Amino acid sequence: MERELADRLYVFCPDAEEGIEFVIQELPEAVVKMTNSLRNGQFLTSRYKPIKWDPSINGDISSKGQIGYSHSQLARVYEGEYGAKTIIVDKATFLSLLAQMKNPKTHSYNGYKLFELPVISRKDTNKDSFKKESAFKK
């Protein structure tokens, strides 16, 4: 149940057909203080998968084209609720996450996957330069 109620991070790119849902896992505060193990922009996830835009979670679909858009809300489920944060990133950031998914790092404390969300850049946002593809092509 802990994973079912864990916060979610939804990452989309304007020109990708699918986004990525990350189930976020937190380190205990004592571990963070002792090891200072997560830098700014890094996060841990127990699971990730492709996701389609859902207006009830991600907000207005017209926002999908706005790099830098951020939307947060509580999502209610049968067992309780979890925080849902949606962000729209540029091509370079999205491709960086996809590359990290191919060869994910594992955190030494709990074995969760360690990802780094690069700084969102407004450069390289030419829609014609990015073919529409599934984020999880094999």
Side-chain angles (χ1 to χ4, degrees), residues 7-9 11 20-24 43 45 47-48 115:
D7 289 344
R8 307 296 201 277
L9 174 63
V11 181
I20 310 165
E21 175 191 56
F22 293 98
V23 177
I24 303 299
F43 63 93
T45 183
R47 185 176 72 228
Y48 46 86
F115 282 83

Side-chain angles (χ1 to χ4, degrees), residues 13-89:
C13 179
D15 298 315
E17 291 179 13
E18 296 177 321
I20 310 165
E21 175 191 56
F22 293 98
V23 177
I24 303 299
Q25 299 297 324
E26 301 291 331
L27 286 175
E29 191 174 323
V31 173
V32 173
K33 285 181 181 178
M34 288 181 357
T35 63
N36 197 19
S37 60
L38 289 180
R39 294 189 314 263
N40 191 21
Q42 289 185 326
F43 63 93
L44 298 175
T45 183
S46 57
R47 185 176 72 228
Y48 46 86
K49 66 180 183 177
I51 192 90
K52 296 282 187 188
W53 189 275
D54 178 352
S56 68
I57 298 290
N58 307 120
D60 185 352
I61 187 70
S62 66
S63 301
K64 186 177 180 240
Q66 301 171 18
I67 293 174
Y69 168 81
S70 180
H71 174 76
S72 297
Q73 75 173 55
L74 287 177
R76 299 194 189 287
V77 291
Y78 180 74
E79 301 86 12
E81 60 188 25
Y82 61 85
K85 178 159 181 100
T86 301
I87 59 172
I88 307 299
V89 299

Side-chain angles (χ1 to χ4, degrees), residues 67-131:
I67 293 174
Y69 168 81
S70 180
H71 174 76
S72 297
Q73 75 173 55
L74 287 177
R76 299 194 189 287
V77 291
Y78 180 74
E79 301 86 12
E81 60 188 25
Y82 61 85
K85 178 159 181 100
T86 301
I87 59 172
I88 307 299
V89 299
D90 63 8
K91 172 187 170 186
T93 302
F94 196 74
L95 292 176
S96 171
L97 288 171
L98 293 177
Q100 291 175 65
M101 289 168 59
K102 288 183 179 180
N103 190 20
K105 296 178 182 175
T106 303
H107 193 275
S108 60
Y109 173 74
N110 55 15
Y112 289 133
K113 303 300 181 204
L114 175 65
F115 282 83
E116 186 160 352
L117 190 61
V119 175
I120 295 174
S121 168
R122 295 197 180 270
K123 294 180 183 177
D124 198 22
T125 59
N126 180 357
K127 292 185 181 204
D128 296 331
S129 68
F130 190 52
K131 300 188 293 188

